[in-house]
């Protein structure tokens, strides 16, 4: 910001020089002003220096104005001459008022401690009087210039008034401003706006922020209107107004948005009890809930509701009617719970939808909508996951190198969120162990005692895990096969267990195998973090294997159903022929009124079957989760708590204890659940709705369970980077779950008598159909060209090339990074050597300088910083006086020009520290290494 | 909203929203928390900008900073005093409401890394000398581990930490060193915040 200000000032300087005919006049004016100030200053130097700053300012204001008027009585030209001379003299002789301030400011760049309190006293120039804040100052200049330009000289007093009255004069005449000035003004306004925007990121105290905010807002309010000229002015004002309105709206919207984020307090509470890792699960859950809500609104709004409202009603056609054979039991709870009966023949499943091209008075293209929603669900999920991943990757930075091992441990290991004694205790313990581990690693690079044993154990563990995985895979395959046999026999002949075998087995496997893995991983003796990753990987593999076994079995079943369908199709033609009593050519004038839709024979409709399977899977999965929660956590907690009064050992501390919240397991469960949703959503549009319900209940149930019956983890892990780890898993699952869904859509022809695509060869034919009938011919042509392999293949090739290119560039960047890092390190080594000597020397110098500095400075630092110390000020003034002499001697300025740099420096000082916090220097903290520095607190801070 | 509006004027709330990372509701909540700490000291009406400060001893009783110390004295945020002190203007830990809001704004999730780094540096700089020297690191470490490391271990860790992060070789960490180190830390953003 400082540089910008300086630039503005320089520009202003140019402006002055450019306006040749006004130049002399203006110089005179300015000199006049300054001279009067100097006179006054001399007077004042004698007098009351001890008074408060604000008071002083006021007095000064009054006095200077008086002096001005006094002077005005002199003849003008003469006065101008005199003033110029005097000005020069003052500069040479005194070198105190102006030059000192200037030099001081040069020194002070970046040092906030040299506050404006001092400045107010030292810079006696009229220009600088009210210069505490840059905006005012800029503004004043503007005003003065304007006045000088537009009116004649006798307005000097008004100029003075303008300056003094702190911008009470709002009347700004844009016509009178030259384009350059306008530009400057605009820049200043923009700058202020930027300042307001970035204010919250400034390391200032709130008081200062509030002050700055108010001032800059006033400034912007006042001078925004002056921008824009003539015709454009109204437009500009309008724009400004709209901008303000827009800002307000945005803020309100932001408030509204944060108010809409659910469960904020719940999660916060959990966070303070269990640390950020447990909370990260709940945040993930909430995020998932949001996504599912959107998926749900898509399917609900574009598929289910239109069909329910505008499609043919229930019972009008065979696919919308429960068959006669099932009619009697269609309302039984057991059947409904299994999603058979009326549930099967409803909007919940694929089979219910009619293949009518357009339904209702809206002419809603339902089959097309169904297809596009299916595709859109997947596309949206991909987009969201990848975008979140990219954002997380940006946020987490590139901190994967190990060069700051100890420092990171020291400065970032405490989790400031923790607010629970037990968690805090665990955290302390884990930090201590991590330090000890690091120390051990440091001391001896690798202790390889018993390496053979560990290796053997690890191999053994992996072997056992593989056995588990294979076993569970086989079990599922076996069960699914068996269930198909049962299904062929008819469901009624079998017990409840036999009917629900598949889901139960899958859920039980998902429950017990992770425990088994946990036991096995105890063999391996890995570092907990590594162990956690292995554990996650294994559970992932288990779930994935189970899911794919399930899908493969399902594929078998689909094939079976399709064979069945062929037979039924054949039978139906016979049945129809029989029904029409030999009339081969069916005439439309004799509608088959006599046949109830329920009696019409129909195919097995494999799509509905797939949807049902998934819904059942989800339901049983949900049930298992909840029951485990209730039994595993709640019941255990209750037993431990109440049996502890009458037990022979301490249950709470001893064996059963309370359970910990298993973050990784829960996250994995959530991810796989989502995978199943993605997989099955095409065939069962109700799945997202079910999932929303499930997640909603989970949120409350798990929050409650965590708070009431879990204890914080013994090893409190940081949630660092795990977010992206979860996301990566989610992405993998998304890919793997869309694969089978897309495969079935693309390769298997839809059933002939159910679903929105019945009668078509493939499901995606609906697109072609729409293109042909609803769009002009040329679009269809374009599409057919675009889908030509001759175009698609080169396109894919191009994408591959682009990926390759991007990857190689990123690789080379990485290499360059490593190279630079290495260079930096070697340089550091050198620097360290060099600096050690330099630092020693500097230390000596510093000591000397510090001793030379008066004890008052010392006192001031120790003192409460809000008390202004006059002694210290004088001391410091003396030192800066010396400095300014040196500077002025070297570099004398012409009278007009030299005011500008001074002001610019002082302007920049007020804001400088905010942005370019000079390295090694902190705002608000005194800096000891600068002996000349004075510790007078700045105005802004008090 | 009726009685809430009397705490702050709309302009005040807008100004606070401009200056912090909080929404209107959160600011009101913060005021509630602040009021809770010392109901007899803090007025409910803030429209006139009253000048009152809550002393350190009361501030640190906030559950966010302080873990209930019923069981033992040690279970608390090891840096709570430092946090409060580095945000208080007088360095003694007395916070006015402005500073209170400022503190939680910096510690909020939305605050940028640079801002957090500045204040983190202040917090770890126990003897306010603008450098993290060895004593600072030792204090930090002892607070983190509840003094369970032996002096040799502490010495080693501090030495290592300085070696790693010290770029200019003056055997203490300046803010530049600290910033350079902390901006690459993967956990800094996720752990250096307090939800209110």
């Amino acid at each position: 910001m400082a540089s910008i200000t300086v630039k503005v000032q320089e520009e202003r300087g140019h402006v002055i020089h450019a306006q040749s005919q006004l130049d002399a006049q203006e110089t005179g004016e300015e000199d006049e002003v300054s001279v009067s100030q100097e006179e006054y200053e001399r007077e004042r130097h004698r007098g009351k220096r001890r008074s408060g700053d604000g008071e002083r300012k006021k007095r000064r204001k009054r006095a200077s104005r008086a002096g001005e008027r006094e002077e005005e009585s002199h003849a003008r030209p003469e006065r101008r001459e005199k003033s110029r001379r005097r000005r020069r003299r003052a500069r040479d002789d005194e070198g105190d008022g102006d030059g000192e301030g200037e030099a001081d400011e040069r020194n002070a760049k970046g040092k906030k401690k040299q506050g404006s309190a001092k400045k107010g006293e030292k810079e006696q120039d009229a220009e600088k009087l009210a210069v505490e804040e840059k905006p005012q100052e800029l503004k004043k200049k503007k005003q003065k210039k304007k006045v000088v330009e537009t009116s004649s000289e006798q307005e000097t007093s008004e100029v003075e008034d303008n300056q003094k009255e702190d911008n009470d004069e709002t009347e700004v005449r844009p016509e009178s401003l030259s384009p350059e000035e306008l530009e400057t003004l605009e820049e200043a306004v923009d700058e202020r706006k930027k300042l307001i925007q970035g204010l919250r990121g400034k390391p200032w105290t709130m008081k200062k922020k509030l002050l700055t905010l108010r001032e800059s807002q006033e400034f912007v309010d006042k001078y925004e209107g002056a921008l824009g000229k003539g015709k454009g002015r109204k437009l500009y004002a309008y724009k400004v107004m709209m901008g303000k309105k827009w800002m307000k709206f945005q803020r309100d919207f932001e408030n509204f948005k944060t108010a809409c984020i659910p469960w904020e307090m719940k999660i916060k509470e959990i966070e303070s009890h269990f640390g950020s890792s447990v909370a990260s699960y709940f945040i993930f859950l909430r995020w998932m809930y949001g996504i599912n809500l959107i998926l749900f609104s898509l399917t609900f709004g574009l598929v289910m509701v239109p069909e329910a409202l505008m499609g043919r009603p229930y019972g009008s056609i065979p696919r919308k009617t429960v068959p006669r054979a099932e009619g009697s039991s269609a309302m039984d709870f057991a059947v409904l719970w299994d999603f058979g009966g009326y549930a099967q023949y409803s909007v919940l499943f694929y089979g219910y939808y009619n293949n009518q091209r357009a339904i209702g008075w809206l002419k809603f293209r339902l089959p097309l909508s169904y297809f596009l929603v299916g595709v859109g669900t997947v596309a949206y999920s991909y987009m969201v996951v990848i975008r979140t991943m990219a954002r997380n990757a940006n946020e987490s930075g590139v901190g994967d190198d190990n060069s700051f091992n100890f420092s990171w441990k020291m400065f970032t290991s405490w989790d400031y969120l923790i607010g629970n004694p037990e968690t805090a205790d665990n955290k302390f313990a884990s930090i201590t162990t991590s330090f000890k581990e690091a120390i051990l690693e440091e001391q001896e690079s690798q202790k390889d005692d018993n390496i053979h044993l560990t290796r053997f154990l690890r191999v053994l563990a992996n072997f056992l895990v593989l056995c588990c995985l294979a076993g569970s895979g086989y079990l599922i395959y076996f069960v699914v096969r068996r269930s198909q046999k049962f299904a062929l026999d008819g469901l009624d002949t079998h017990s409840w267990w036999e009917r629900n075998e598949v889901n139960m087995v899958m859920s039980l496997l998902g429950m017990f195998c992770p425990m088994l893995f946990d036991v096995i991983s105890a063999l391996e003796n890995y570092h907990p973090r590594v162990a956690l990753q292995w554990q996650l990987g294994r559970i992932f593999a288990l779930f994935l294997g189970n899911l794919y076994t399930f899908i493969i079995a399902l594929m078998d079943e689909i094939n079976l159903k399709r064979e069945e369908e062929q037979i039924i199709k054949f039978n139906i033609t016979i049945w129809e022929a029989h029904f029409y009593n030999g009339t081969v050519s069916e005439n439309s004038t004799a509608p088959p009124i006599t046949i109830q839709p329920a009696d019409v024979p129909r195919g097995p409709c494999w799509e509905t079957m797939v949807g049902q399977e998934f819904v059942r899977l989800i339901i049983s999965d949900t049930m298992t989760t909840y029951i485990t929660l209730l039994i595993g956590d709640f019941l255990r907690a209750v037993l431990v708590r109440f049996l502890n009064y009458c037990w022979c050992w301490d249950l709470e501390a001893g064996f059963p204890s309370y359970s910990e919240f298993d973050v990784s397991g829960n996250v994995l469960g959530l991810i796989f659940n989502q995978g199943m949703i993605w997989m099955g959503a095409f065939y069962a549009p109700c799945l997202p709705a079910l999932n929303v319900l499930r997640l909603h209940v989970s949120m409350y149930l798990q929050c409650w369970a965590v708070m009431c019956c879990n204890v914080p983890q013994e090893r409190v892990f940081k949630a660092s980077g795990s977010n992206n780890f979860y996301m990566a898993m989610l992405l993998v699952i998304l890919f793997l779950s869309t694969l089978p869904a897309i495969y079935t859509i693309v390769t298997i022809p839809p059933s002939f008598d159910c679903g929105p695509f019945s009668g078509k060869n493939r499901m995606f034919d609906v697109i072609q159909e729409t293109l042909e009938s609803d769009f002009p011919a040329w679009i269809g042509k374009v599409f057919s060209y675009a889908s030509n392999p001759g175009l698609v293949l080169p396109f894919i090739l191009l994408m591959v090339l682009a990926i390759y290119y991007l990857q190689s560039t990123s690789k080379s960047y990485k290499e360059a990074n490593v190279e630079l890092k290495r260079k930096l390190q070697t340089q550091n080594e050198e620097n360290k050597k060099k600096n050690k000597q330099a630092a020693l020397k500097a230390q000596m110098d510093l000591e000397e300088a510090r001793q030379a500095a008066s004890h008052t400075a010392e006192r001031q630092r120790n003192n409460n910083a809000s008390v202004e110390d006059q002694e210290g000020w004088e001391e410091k003034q003396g030192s800066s006086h010396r400095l300014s002499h040196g500077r002025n001697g070297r570099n004398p300025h012409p009278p007009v020009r030299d005011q500008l740099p001074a002001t610019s420096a002082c302007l920049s000082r007020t804001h400088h520290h905010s942005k370019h916090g000079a390295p090694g220097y902190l705002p608000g903290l005194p800096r000891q290494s600068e002996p000349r520095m004075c510790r007078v607190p700045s105005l802004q801070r008090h | 909203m009726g009685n809430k509006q009397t705490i702050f004027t709309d302009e005040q709330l807008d100004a606070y929203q401009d200056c912090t990372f909080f929404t209107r509701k959160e600011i009101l909540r913060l005021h509630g928390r602040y009021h809770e700490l010392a109901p007899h000291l803090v007025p409910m009406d803030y429209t006139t900008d009253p000048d009152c400060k809550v002393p350190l001893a009361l501030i640190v009783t906030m559950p966010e900073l302080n873990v209930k110390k019923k069981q033992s004295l040690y279970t608390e945020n090891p840096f709570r005093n430092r946090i409060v002190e580095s945000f208080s203007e007088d360095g003694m830990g007395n916070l006015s409401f402005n500073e209170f809001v400022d503190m939680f704004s910096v510690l909020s999730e939305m605050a940028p890394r640079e801002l957090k780094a500045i204040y983190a540096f202040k917090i770890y700089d126990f003897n306010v000398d603008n450098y993290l020297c060895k004593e600072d690191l030792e204090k930090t470490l002892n607070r983190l581990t509840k003094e369970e490391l032996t002096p040799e271990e502490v010495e080693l860790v501090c030495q290592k930490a300085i070696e790693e992060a010290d770029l200019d070789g003056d055997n203490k960490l300046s803010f530049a060193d600290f910033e350079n180190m902390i901006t690459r830390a993967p956990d800094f953003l996720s752990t250096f915040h307090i939800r209110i």
Side-chain angles (χ1 to χ4, degrees), chain B residues 50-106:
Chain B
D51 180 36
C52 76
K53 295 196 166 197
V54 173
L56 172 75
L58 283 175
I59 298 269
V60 294
T61 56
M62 285 189 74
E64 275 75 16
L65 296 174
N66 173 30
V67 183
K68 272 166 266 155
K69 42 180 180 178
K70 272 173 201 159
Q71 284 141 8
S72 72
L73 260 165
Y74 288 106
T75 51
E76 61 192 22
N77 186 338
F79 303 111
R80 57 186 185 139
N81 282 5
R82 282 302 308 157
I83 295 175
V84 178
E85 272 163 24
S86 44
F87 279 96
S88 87
E89 206 172 288
D90 54 12
M92 307 292 290
N94 302 327
L95 291 192
S96 69
F97 180 64
N98 280 341
E99 290 151 4
F100 187 76
V101 172
D102 207 19
M103 175 166 84
F104 283 105
S105 169
V106 169

Side-chain angles (χ1 to χ4, degrees), chain A residues 555 558-559 562 606-607 683 740 742-751 761-763:
Chain A
M555 286 304 229
I558 289 174
N559 287 333
R562 288 189 52 224
W606 60 268
E607 291 96 338
Y683 297 116
I742 289 176
Y743 174 78
T744 50
I745 288 172
V746 172
T747 56
I748 304 180
S751 305
N761 196 24
R762 292 278 185 269
M763 291 181 191

Side-chain angles (χ1 to χ4, degrees), chain A residues 200 251 255 264 268 271 399 406-408 411 416 421 425 428 442 718 720 828 832 835 922 926, chain B residues 17-18 23 64 67 102 121 124 128 130 144 146 160 163-164 166-168 181 184 187 191 195:
Chain A
R200 57 182 66 174
R251 172 168 297 167
N255 283 352
E264 193 68 31
K268 200 225 123 194
E271 212 164 38
F406 280 98
S407 328
W408 283 349
F411 293 121
Y416 281 78
D425 267 340
F428 279 126
E442 189 63 36
K718 282 169 282 184
S720 78
N828 281 349
K832 267 183 197 172
N835 283 11
L922 260 189
Chain B
Q17 284 180 66
D18 270 329
T23 61
E64 275 75 16
V67 183
D102 207 19
F121 185 82
Y124 293 124
V128 196
N130 254 346
L144 269 180
K146 287 206 271 180
K160 278 280 160 200
E163 260 174 41
E164 281 165 4
D166 187 17
L167 291 182
D168 47 13
M181 182 268 294
R184 295 184 199 178
D187 303 325
T191 55
R195 279 159 165 252

Side-chain angles (χ1 to χ4, degrees), chain A residues 569-628:
Chain A
K569 222 174 173 178
F570 180 70
N571 282 347
I572 282 179
T573 43
I574 294 174
W575 173 79
E576 272 180 350
H578 169 76
F579 185 77
Y580 288 115
N581 210 2
T583 43
V584 185
S585 59
E586 182 188 331
N587 56 351
S588 50
T589 49
I593 321 155
T594 44
I595 319 166
Q596 288 292 316
D599 294 328
V600 178
R602 56 188 77 171
C605 198
W606 60 268
E607 291 96 338
T608 300
M609 185 271 295
V610 171
Q612 269 175 314
E613 286 296 329
F614 274 109
V615 171
R616 279 179 210 147
L617 203 61
I618 294 285
I619 293 285
S620 79
D621 186 47
T622 312
M623 285 298 131
T624 339
T625 314
Y626 292 166
I627 289 169
T628 342

Side-chain angles (χ1 to χ4, degrees), chain A residues 328-344:
Chain A
S328 55
S329 65
M331 210 48 201
D332 293 357
F333 181 72
V335 176
L336 284 181
W337 182 249
D338 227 16
F339 287 91
Y342 283 111
Q344 186 180 347

Side-chain angles (χ1 to χ4, degrees), chain B residues 104-191:
Chain B
F104 283 105
S105 169
V106 169
L107 287 168
S108 78
E109 274 172 295
M110 315 276 290
R113 199 182 268 265
E114 302 80 48
L115 187 65
K116 279 176 185 270
I118 287 171
Y119 283 98
F121 185 82
K122 277 195 194 180
I123 286 169
Y124 293 124
D125 185 11
F126 283 85
N127 54 2
V128 196
D129 66 348
N130 254 346
Y131 283 102
L132 295 183
C133 48
K134 214 159 193 175
E135 296 91 73
D136 292 327
L137 294 188
E138 275 167 14
K139 267 187 197 164
T140 310
L141 192 59
N142 280 334
R143 287 195 182 204
L144 269 180
T145 58
K146 287 206 271 180
E147 299 177 21
E148 274 175 22
L149 294 180
T150 62
E152 295 84 51
E153 284 170 333
V154 171
E155 170 76 13
L156 181 75
V157 170
C158 293
Q159 192 56 46
K160 278 280 160 200
I162 287 183
E163 260 174 41
E164 281 165 4
D166 187 17
L167 291 182
D168 47 13
D170 55 359
N171 241 344
K172 49 190 179 180
L173 304 185
S174 66
F175 179 63
D177 298 335
F178 182 78
E179 196 183 27
N180 173 44
M181 182 268 294
I182 211 83
T183 45
R184 295 184 199 178
D187 303 325
F188 178 59
L189 275 188
S190 62
T191 55

